[in-house]
Amino acid sequence: MDQIGGHLAEIARNIEIVGADPVTLHGFTMVPNVILTKKELSVGAKLAYAMLLKYAWSDKGSYPGQLKLAEDLGAGERSIRTYLKELETAGVLKIQQRGLGQTNYYRLFVTVDKTNASRRRRPAKFAGQERQ
C-alpha cells in the first residue's frame, strides 16, 4: 500500500500564492469548511459569516453595526439582515439584541455539535437488541 504523502507531491496545484504584499499583510480569515459547503446558506450568508469571523479575530471580538457590515461587504442593510437570519436559522450564529442604538451581540459557532453528530453516525439497531 502506497503512502499518501508520496502522491501529494505529484498533484498539480491550480492556485498559487506569491509573496506578501500590503493586502496580505493584514491577515487572513479562516472559515470552517462546514460553513463553506452548507447548501442551505447563500453565498451572501457565507460571506457575512466570514466577515463576522474577521471582526472577531482582528478587532478583539467587537462587532460593528449592520451598516458597517453592509459597507464592508458591499451590500445593503436589508441584505445583511437576511444573511444574518439565514445564519441564525442554520444554527451557526446566535444574535442577541442589546438595546436601542447599540450593536447586537453575536455568537458564532465554529464547531459541530458532537451530540447531534454522534446520533447521525450511530448504526441502526437490529431487531431484538436492547437499548443501553
Side-chain angles (χ1 to χ4, degrees), residues 11-31:
I11 298 173
R13 302 276 180 186
N14 63 354
I15 299 174
E16 182 179 2
I17 300 172
V18 180
D21 58 23
V23 174
T24 58
L25 288 176
H26 291 283
F28 296 89
T29 301
M30 294 180 4
V31 179

Side-chain angles (χ1 to χ4, degrees), residues 93-110:
L93 175 68
K94 182 168 172 48
I95 302 171
Q96 179 182 350
Q97 294 180 345
R98 297 190 306 156
L100 190 62
Q102 294 184 348
T103 60
N104 292 333
Y105 177 76
Y106 299 104
R107 294 185 70 203
L108 288 171
F109 299 100
V110 295

Side-chain angles (χ1 to χ4, degrees), residues 83-96:
Y83 300 151
L84 295 176
K85 187 65 178 169
E86 276 184 63
L87 293 169
E88 195 171 34
T89 300
V92 297
L93 175 68
K94 182 168 172 48
I95 302 171
Q96 179 182 350

Side-chain angles (χ1 to χ4, degrees), residues 18-54:
V18 180
D21 58 23
V23 174
T24 58
L25 288 176
H26 291 283
F28 296 89
T29 301
M30 294 180 4
V31 179
N33 287 337
V34 69
I35 299 299
L36 295 176
T37 58
K38 210 169 213 5
K39 292 183 183 357
E40 65 265 21
L41 293 178
S42 69
V43 172
K46 292 173 185 181
L47 189 56
Y49 183 93
M51 189 60 75
L52 289 172
L53 275 177
K54 179 248 181 234

Side-chain angles (χ1 to χ4, degrees), residues 54-74:
K54 179 248 181 234
Y55 295 146
W57 288 112
S58 66
D59 297 336
K60 295 182 176 58
S62 65
Y63 295 104
Q66 292 176 1
L67 179 60
K68 174 68 173 157
L69 185 57
E71 289 172 6
D72 287 349
L73 290 177

